[in-house]
Amino acid sequence: MYKSKIAGLGYYVPERVVENEELTKLMDTSDEWIRERTGIERRRYAKKHKETSTTMGVEAAKIAIERAGISKNDIDFIVFATLSPDYYFPGCGVLLQRELGITKSECGAIDIRNQCSGFIYGLSVADQFVKTGMYRNVLVVGAEMHSMGLDFSNKGRNITVIFGDGAGAVVVQRNESDSESAILTTKLHSDGTYAEKLSMILPGSHGGYHNDKHDFGVDYGFDYDIPYGEIFITQKMLDEGLYYPQMEGQFVFKLAVQKFPEVIGEALQEVDLQTSDIDLFIPHQANLRISQFVQKRLGLSDDQVYNNIQEYGNTTAASIPIALAEAWENGRVKEGDLVCLASFGSGFTWGSVLIRW
Ligand code: UT7
């Protein structure tokens, strides 16, 4: 088995800053509510028609590749995590390959659809490929362009105020030096029992199938006589704006604060380390209150935790790589440090990664 390390990392956030105040002009919300409940002060929105999840991912990837000291054609494999892809298919992985100008067709690409845990899952996939010796350099990207698919009416306010756009990327590389740098372990979990509690179920091919067995929490009024070919995108869906994400916030919150400590404890136990050994913990930036709750449960001090949700909101698959790259740029991640990443989100899926930097 080889050792894998993070050889380069970068992030990109769009120029446009959207303050909480701006959202109050579109929906019934307030700066005070958003700050108190989520810690978010502002977020970034991508340029319509000019930027996409892929283009933002490309910008982050260019930085990560340069910092890894390799060239784009040294990338053996691309892992792209997003819930807001440019196209329904094909995935952003191949679009990024094209935009980056990676010309070798031996470079494979996959998309990961694990929402907030997308980057953790992506990192784990990359780690396995590098450890087994199959690939030397795997590019892992997390990118989201939420702004184009949010409900800016009062109905969507619990979700819309949280999300922002951006991208982060890392190059996972075989460590052929004597240094201790390594991804020590990755832990992945899922439980589909509550799949619809945080979901965007339309457009889709189910035609209401799951609704017979599970409570969607929203009356979609599926028409079971609808003909083939018209199930995927229905007129009702368009007329009533049923294609927005939905979330039972408190339900998600309660599970998140339970699963974060569990999955971090599991990773630490495997490599025989303690929470006190963690130099920097970077949680998925879902809600500052979740991060603070988890920090308290783990008994971590403020300088052991990195949060930037205040500036960027929740950028789903991009949130961990953005925070990791920003923390690294700010000198918060140094050689020899034990870095802990963890996430919980839609699916539900959750996971953790321990890295000896
Ligand atoms: O990243 C993926 C994983 N996602 C998460 O981890 C999110 C977890 N959940 C959360 O972060 C929180 O549940 C939210 C921030 C989404 C919501 O906060 P909350 O404290 O759980 O609020 P709530 O949904 O229980 O709603 C409380 C009240 C409601 O009004 P009533 O029924 O008490 O009159 C909502 O209608 O706040 C209202 N509300 C808002 N008010 C102003 C909901 N959204 C807003 C809003 N502005 N944006």
Side-chain angles (χ1 to χ4, degrees):
M1 285 289 243
Y2 294 94
K3 266 193 304 191
S4 62
K5 65 170 184 177
I6 293 183
L9 70 179
Y11 76 98
Y12 171 84
V13 287
E15 256 173 51
R16 189 172 163 221
V17 178
V18 177
E19 302 285 345
N20 289 343
E21 205 55 44
E22 192 175 331
L23 297 179
T24 66
K25 297 186 181 91
L26 302 168
M27 64 191 83
D28 190 7
T29 189
S30 66
D31 177 47
E32 195 192 6
W33 190 97
I34 302 171
R35 278 177 199 247
E36 260 178 28
R37 306 275 177 142
T38 71
I40 297 166
E41 296 173 22
R42 54 192 68 83
R43 74 286 292 140
R44 305 290 180 102
Y45 283 178
K47 274 195 208 104
K48 279 187 288 182
H49 319 301
K50 300 270 185 220
E51 293 184 303
T52 71
S53 294
T54 298
T55 69
M56 291 188 284
V58 166
E59 294 309 315
K62 280 183 190 162
I63 301 168
I65 290 169
E66 198 195 324
R67 285 179 176 159
I70 58 170
S71 72
K72 58 193 182 193
N73 275 316
D74 293 324
I75 298 294
D76 302 309
F77 196 73
I78 297 163
V79 182
F80 199 119
T82 186
L83 67 68
S84 48
D86 297 22
Y87 299 149
Y88 202 83
F89 74 84
C92 289
V94 293
L95 300 180
L96 176 126
Q97 181 189 18
R98 181 173 71 184
E99 297 280 316
L100 260 181
I102 295 177
T103 48
K104 62 172 190 188
S105 64
E106 297 83 6
C107 174
I110 52 166
D111 274 44
I112 297 224
R113 297 193 45 173
N114 278 64
Q115 298 68 249
C116 304
S117 301
F119 184 76
I120 296 285
Y121 268 71
L123 208 50
S124 183
V125 168
D127 181 39
Q128 312 314 315
F129 275 142
V130 173
K131 270 188 182 145
T132 55
M134 180 144 174
Y135 297 128
R136 262 200 167 74
N137 291 298
V138 180
L139 176 66
V140 185
V141 178
E144 302 287 359
M145 186 167 168
H146 284 303
S147 55
M148 52 85 208
L150 296 170
D151 180 357
F152 286 92
S153 76
N154 279 348
K155 218 169 105 196
R157 65 181 179 171
N158 66 325
I159 290 189
T160 300
V161 299
I162 296 175
F163 290 114
D165 301 341
V170 301
V171 173
V172 179
Q173 188 175 69
R174 186 188 295 177
N175 182 0
E176 290 172 298
S177 75
D178 294 334
S179 85
E180 293 295 305
S181 300
I183 294 176
L184 301 178
T185 184
T186 64
K187 294 283 163 209
L188 306 178
H189 290 270
S190 68
D191 177 359
T193 311
Y194 305 112
E196 289 80 15
K197 296 278 186 198
L198 174 47
S199 61
M200 186 174 134
I201 67 154
L202 294 169
S205 54
H206 56 86
Y209 165 77
H210 301 286
N211 204 186
D212 291 342
K213 304 177 191 158
H214 305 287
D215 178 15
F216 281 5
V218 171
D219 180 13
Y220 286 96
F222 290 107
D223 175 357
Y224 288 87
D225 295 327
I226 209 153
Y228 281 108
E230 288 173 32
I231 291 175
F232 197 71
I233 297 178
T234 64
Q235 195 55 48
K236 184 179 170 67
M237 188 196 309
L238 298 173
D239 292 345
E240 297 179 24
L242 297 174
Y243 44 82
Y244 290 118
Q246 53 149 338
M247 170 167 72
E248 268 188 50
Q250 292 206 7
F251 191 88
V252 181
F253 193 109
K254 281 179 195 148
L255 265 175
V257 295
Q258 178 193 330
K259 296 298 180 191
F260 269 102
E262 267 178 33
V263 76
I264 293 164
E266 185 190 356
L268 286 167
Q269 196 178 9
E270 183 178 306
V271 295
D272 204 17
L273 291 168
Q274 320 290 323
T275 47
S276 55
D277 294 317
I278 295 174
D279 293 292
L280 197 66
F281 167 47
I282 302 180
H284 162 54
Q285 301 291 293
N287 182 327
L288 191 60
R289 308 294 159 238
I290 295 179
S291 300
Q292 288 167 336
F293 194 97
V294 175
Q295 174 180 347
K296 212 167 155 199
R297 276 282 297 279
L298 296 175
L300 298 172
S301 64
D302 286 349
D303 55 4
Q304 283 175 289
V305 185
Y306 195 84
N307 288 303
N308 62 6
I309 190 170
Q310 300 91 328
E311 293 301 313
Y312 305 127
N314 177 346
T315 56
T316 313
S319 95
I320 290 178
I322 291 175
L324 180 61
E326 195 182 68
W328 180 84
E329 286 179 11
N330 294 341
R332 296 280 303 271
V333 181
K334 299 173 292 302
E335 199 176 336
D337 279 355
L338 180 69
V339 178
C340 174
L341 314 176
S343 67
F344 177 88
S346 159
F348 293 122
T349 59
W350 62 103
S352 63
V353 179
L354 285 175
I355 305 165
R356 179 64 68 195
W357 207 265

